């Protein structure tokens, strides 16, 4: 079952659909293509497909489509295949799926070699979902909020404009963070990220040592900084060097609860909006089988 996001990369991904489908069929796959009218319809169709126990549900798109597919396959024995075709393909990259060449990713799917990896359940507001990559809450999620309200400029430039806009008004957020239902941390922070894999946001290595199969989540906390210091530290996230900064703390846990004022903090998981604080995340060891 091939789950397709027709809007990925502004619709340009659809040009790759025919050669990818041809490659899968040439490799012996009996292929059905799923395209939803909207995300809710796509999820319903994906869940129906998984209930029919296909050999695999393959997400052809970016991290957002992978997030949707994870809702359908988590906790089942149907493996998840990924053919990266989005603006950001962080989950695929973290799991060892070829990200530069969709046809190479299609060949990976055809080999059907899968591994068990963790997922995480997240509850925020009325939402109860599963994510495979990174949940963010704080400055980065506020940037997402701004970017999603904009229609221009296109692509990643929209996020750059949103980042500059948010910097003008952002103030550190008072968080109450409960680790493994035992340790409570109260601090003002720029952001808190909960990572099952190492990167998000098209290559920001927020938790460079996170492993998707260790049964743990990495909680990355960036304490309050001046805007000048934040701008100095921020570029180092692309190489994962920010974790050595005095304001950064990383903890490994099985569960974490973030409390803050709902108007201050909203959770995004795998780049998709989940809901406002409070946020609760819990690891689901081995909940996914992924073709790699």
């Amino acid at each position: 079952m091939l789950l397709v996001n027709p809007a990925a990369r502004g619709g340009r991904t659809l040009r790759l659909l025919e050669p990818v489908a041809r490659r899968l069929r040439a490799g012996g796959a009996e292929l059905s293509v799923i395209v939803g009218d909207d995300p809710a319809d796509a999820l319903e169709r994906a869940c129906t497909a998984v209930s029919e126990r296909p050999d695999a549900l393959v997400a052809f798109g970016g991290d957002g489509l992978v997030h949707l597919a994870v809702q359908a396959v988590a906790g089942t024995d149907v493996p998840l295949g990924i053919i990266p075709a989005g603006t950001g393909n962080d989950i695929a990259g973290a799991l060892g799926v070829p990200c530069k060449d969709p046809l190479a990713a299609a060949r990976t799917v055809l080999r059907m070699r899968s591994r068990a990896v963790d997922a995480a359940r997240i509850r925020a507001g009325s939402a109860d979902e599963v994510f495979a990559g990174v949940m963010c809450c704080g400055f980065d999620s506020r940037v997402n909020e701004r970017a999603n309200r904009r229609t221009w400029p296109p692509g990643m430039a929209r996020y750059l404009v949103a980042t500059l806009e948010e910097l003008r008004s952002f103030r550190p957020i008072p968080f109450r963070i409960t680790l493994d239902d035992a340790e409570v941390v109260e601090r003002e922070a720029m952001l808190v990220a909960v990572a099952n894999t190492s990167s998000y946001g098209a290559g920001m290595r927020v938790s460079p040592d996170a492993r998707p199969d260790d049964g743990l989540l990495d909680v990355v906390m960036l304490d309050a900084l001046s805007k000048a210091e934040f701008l100095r530290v921020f570029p180092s996230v692309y190489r994962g060097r920010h974790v050595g900064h005095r304001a950064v703390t990383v903890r490994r846990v099985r569960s974490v609860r973030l409390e803050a004022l709902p108007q201050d903090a909203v959770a995004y998981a795998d780049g998709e909006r989940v809901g406002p604080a409070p946020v609760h995340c819990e690891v689901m060891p081995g909940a996914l089988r992924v073709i790699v």
Side-chain angles (χ1 to χ4, degrees):
M1 298 288 188
L2 185 67
L3 181 63
V4 177
N5 178 8
R9 289 181 179 172
R12 297 190 299 276
T13 295
L14 277 181
R15 294 198 297 266
L16 300 172
L17 178 57
E18 184 179 348
V20 164
R22 190 187 312 123
R23 180 68 188 86
L24 290 171
R25 289 188 172 110
E30 297 178 12
L31 189 66
S32 296
V33 177
I34 304 169
V35 182
D37 296 329
D38 53 42
D41 182 55
L43 177 57
E44 183 178 352
R45 291 170 185 256
C47 290
T48 299
V50 168
S51 71
E52 297 171 1
R53 300 178 63 81
D55 292 326
L57 179 68
V58 181
F60 178 55
D63 285 343
L65 191 69
V66 173
H67 179 78
L68 189 150
V70 164
Q71 311 311 305
V73 300
T76 76
D77 59 0
V78 175
L80 171 66
I82 305 173
I83 298 180
T87 303
N89 301 303
D90 292 279
I91 298 171
L95 297 176
V97 176
C99 288
K100 302 294 185 182
D101 182 356
L103 294 181
R107 289 193 293 272
T108 297
V109 167
L110 288 167
R111 284 194 286 268
M112 288 296 293
R113 296 172 184 164
S114 65
R115 62 180 283 205
V117 300
D118 305 333
R121 182 171 298 282
I122 177 171
R123 299 178 181 89
S126 61
D128 186 344
E129 299 183 14
V130 179
F131 68 93
V134 178
M135 186 282 295
C136 63
C137 194
F139 178 82
D140 38 10
S141 61
R142 296 259 288 265
V143 168
N144 260 323
E145 292 276 89
R146 283 184 179 272
N148 289 341
R149 291 194 296 266
R150 300 187 64 91
T151 58
W152 186 93
M156 293 303 294
R158 186 165 72 249
Y159 290 90
L160 177 59
V161 172
T163 298
L164 296 175
E165 289 177 342
E166 185 61 34
L167 270 172
R168 296 194 192 107
S169 59
F170 184 79
R171 297 290 183 272
I173 298 170
F175 279 103
R176 177 183 172 92
I177 305 164
T178 306
L179 306 169
D180 282 334
D181 295 322
E183 181 183 353
V184 176
V185 178
E186 294 186 351
R187 62 179 56 176
E188 287 194 339
M190 307 296 284
L191 63 89
V192 179
V194 179
N196 185 46
T197 57
S198 57
S199 68
Y200 70 150
M204 292 190 290
R205 300 184 65 209
V206 65
S207 186
D209 296 322
R211 297 291 178 265
D213 57 0
D214 61 359
L216 297 169
L217 300 170
D218 285 25
V219 180
V220 181
M221 297 169 274
L222 175 59
D223 288 351
L225 294 171
S226 68
K227 291 179 181 178
E229 181 71 359
F230 181 67
L231 286 171
R232 190 184 72 79
V233 173
F234 184 75
S236 65
V237 73
Y238 285 95
R239 294 191 178 184
R241 293 178 178 171
H242 63 292
V243 295
H245 191 275
R246 57 174 175 76
V248 176
T249 305
V250 182
R251 299 289 301 275
R252 286 202 170 126
V253 300
R254 291 180 175 82
S255 68
V256 58
R257 179 176 173 84
L258 309 180
E259 295 173 81
L261 292 176
Q263 63 266 30
D264 288 342
V266 62
Y268 273 69
D270 299 337
E272 300 298 302
R273 193 183 199 277
V274 181
V279 181
H280 184 269
C281 299
E282 183 176 1
V283 71
M284 302 168 63
L288 297 173
R289 293 210 64 83
V290 182
I291 301 169
V292 296

